[in-house]
């Protein structure tokens, strides 16, 4: 294989020229901030530990900065792009700047949240500069849809990076933290300055590395049931779990029974629990509700019920900030 030359990657001048030719103006609606620094691109590829045998899926490739960097190292790259103009232009950019690798590139013109399959071999890695406004749902969707993804590195808003990598007990630990942990071990992998983007965002960015669990969490509960418990626990963070899970369990006493059976204090709060503890709560829900005649229960795991806590005693709410 011929090694790509260092000038194959896009710099600030090439990015702006390409955008001008295509008539592209980055939009806040789609969270478009294009990476214009080749060194940052290579740093992302290194941090992602992309290997020569990897099949990498990239979400939101934009003008192709990271795409070209990934093609320098990976065996194949599949890019998922929703924007009509960007999607139509990317294959030509790859062909022009890295012709020797063009046959290793595939484009999927789609909303990433709608993608259920990808062309070619199953992906082994996900590397992406995710649009800030949809970063978490896209990340979780891709991890759920493609279990062959072993390693993930995403660049997201710094605040989102902190939330994804937060441990139990942290002030920013929440729904994204727990759900990401369902799939993978998560850690912060660095920070990215604003000046490597065009246009420069108003917030800092962070890298998050996720390594797929070698064995999925063993549980008799479904993912939907576990995630519904997580959504309910964090819907009103100031409430104790007995109160917060009342709507989810059917009543506050049923929530308490499920918590006690799971070995968790009913006075605890969601931000102190690991994903494994949420799993135990979900597993004990059915047992705890036997004999409970409350209506409106939904065992599908739909998160829409998570805020329903009308039957929780008012004195269950914490007075802590």
């Amino acid at each position: 294989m011929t090694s790509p030359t260092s000038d194959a990657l896009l710099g600030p001048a090439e990015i702006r020229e390409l955008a001008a030719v295509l008539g592209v103006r980055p939009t806040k609606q789609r969270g478009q901030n294009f990476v214009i620094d080749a060194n940052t691109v290579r740093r992302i590829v290194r941090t992602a530990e992309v290997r020569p045998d990897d099949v990498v899926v990239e979400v939101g490739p934009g003008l192709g900065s990271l795409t070209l960097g990934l093609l320098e190292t990976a065996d194949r790259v599949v890019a998922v792009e929703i924007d009509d103009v960007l999607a139509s232009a990317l294959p030509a950019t790859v062909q022009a700047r890295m012709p020797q690798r063009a046959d290793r590139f595939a484009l999927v013109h789609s909303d990433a949240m709608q993608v259920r399959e990808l062309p070619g071999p199953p992906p082994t890695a996900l590397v992406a500069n995710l649009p800030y406004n949809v970063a978490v749902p896209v990340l979780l969707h891709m991890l759920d849809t493609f279990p062959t993804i072993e390693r993930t590195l995403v660049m997201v808003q710094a605040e989102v990076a902190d939330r994804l990598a937060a441990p139990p007990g942290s002030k920013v630990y929440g729904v994204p933290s727990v759900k990401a942990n369902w799939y993978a071990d998560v850690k912060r992998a660095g920070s990215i300055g604003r000046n490597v983007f065009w246009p420069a965002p108003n917030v800092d960015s962070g890298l998050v590395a996720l390594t797929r669990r070698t064995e999925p969490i063993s549980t008799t509960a479904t993912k939907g049931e576990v995630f519904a418990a997580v959504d309910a626990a964090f819907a009103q963070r100031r409430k104790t779990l007995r109160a917060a899970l009342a709507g989810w369990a059917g009543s506050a006493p049923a929530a308490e029974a499920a918590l006690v059976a799971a070995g968790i204090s009913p006075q605890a709060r969601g931000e102190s629990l690991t994903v494994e503890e949420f799993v135990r709560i979900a597993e004990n829900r059915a047992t705890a509700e036997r004999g409970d005649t409350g209506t409106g229960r939904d065992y599908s795991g739909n998160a829409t019920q998570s805020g329903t806590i009308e039957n929780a005693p008012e004195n269950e709410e914490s007075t802590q900030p």
Side-chain angles (χ1 to χ4, degrees), residues 52-57 75-79 103-106 108 117-125 146 148-149:
D53 60 346
D54 270 324
V55 177
V56 179
V57 57
D75 182 50
R76 295 178 182 275
V77 175
V78 180
D103 63 337
R104 299 285 177 163
F105 171 74
V108 175
E117 58 183 8
L118 296 169
T124 58
F146 302 102
T148 57
I149 293 176

Side-chain angles (χ1 to χ4, degrees), residues 2-312:
T2 303
S3 298
T5 58
S6 59
D7 61 0
L9 301 193
L10 297 169
E14 292 87 355
I15 287 286
R16 290 185 172 88
E17 180 182 354
L18 187 54
V21 169
L22 298 174
V24 169
R25 294 181 179 178
T27 67
K28 287 186 178 180
Q29 180 183 1
R30 288 186 173 165
Q32 291 172 329
N33 299 93
F34 303 129
V35 180
I36 58 174
D37 180 63
N39 289 330
T40 298
V41 167
R42 290 206 173 92
R43 175 189 166 195
I44 292 170
V45 175
R46 284 196 310 271
T47 305
E49 298 180 359
V50 176
R51 302 187 298 242
D53 60 346
D54 270 324
V55 177
V56 179
V57 57
E58 179 191 8
V59 175
L63 292 167
S65 304
L66 181 56
T67 311
L68 294 168
L70 291 168
L71 277 169
E72 279 190 333
T73 303
D75 182 50
R76 295 178 182 275
V77 175
V78 180
V80 180
E81 177 59 63
I82 188 174
D83 186 282
D84 295 342
V85 174
L86 294 174
S88 64
L90 189 54
T93 300
V94 171
Q95 179 63 49
R97 302 193 69 85
M98 209 171 281
Q100 72 276 28
R101 302 293 286 158
D103 63 337
R104 299 285 177 163
F105 171 74
L107 175 79
V108 175
H109 182 194
S110 174
D111 179 346
M113 292 296 292
Q114 304 302 318
V115 171
R116 301 292 174 188
E117 58 183 8
L118 296 169
T124 58
L126 166 65
V127 184
N129 170 21
L130 291 178
Y132 290 163
N133 52 345
V134 293
V136 172
V138 166
L139 172 63
L140 297 177
H141 170 74
M142 296 300 288
L143 289 174
D144 191 60
T145 305
F146 302 102
T148 57
I149 293 176
E150 301 167 357
R151 286 161 290 111
T152 295
L153 186 79
V154 291
M155 180 160 53
V156 295
Q157 184 176 338
E159 182 182 354
V160 175
D162 290 339
R163 289 177 181 171
L164 282 167
S170 165
K171 289 184 178 180
V172 295
Y173 183 75
V175 172
S177 325
V178 183
K179 292 184 177 180
N181 246 264
W182 168 270
Y183 301 101
D185 293 322
V186 189
K187 67 177 182 179
R188 264 297 220 126
S191 300
I192 302 291
R194 305 181 187 190
N195 61 342
V196 302
F197 295 96
W198 176 71
N202 296 322
V203 294
D204 294 325
S205 301
L207 298 175
V208 181
L210 301 94
T211 303
R212 174 86 63 172
R213 289 175 177 268
T214 53
E215 293 290 337
I217 293 177
S218 177
T219 175
T220 56
T222 67
K223 181 201 72 175
E225 289 166 345
V226 175
F227 280 16
V230 174
D231 288 333
F234 287 99
Q236 300 190 45
R237 294 176 69 102
R238 295 180 64 194
K239 288 189 176 291
T240 64
L241 284 170
R242 184 183 190 273
L245 297 179
W248 168 82
S251 69
E256 179 169 351
L259 288 161
V260 171
I264 296 163
S265 169
Q267 301 306 310
R269 287 169 178 78
E271 55 262 36
S272 68
L273 269 57
T274 65
V275 65
E276 289 83 2
E277 288 172 316
F278 278 110
V279 165
R280 295 208 306 270
I281 295 170
E283 288 176 337
N284 282 284
R285 171 180 169 173
T287 301
E289 284 200 333
R290 284 174 186 163
D292 189 335
T293 57
T295 58
R297 280 168 271 153
D298 177 5
Y299 287 86
S300 66
N302 292 333
T304 54
Q305 64 189 341
S306 61
T308 308
I309 55 171
E310 290 84 358
N311 53 352

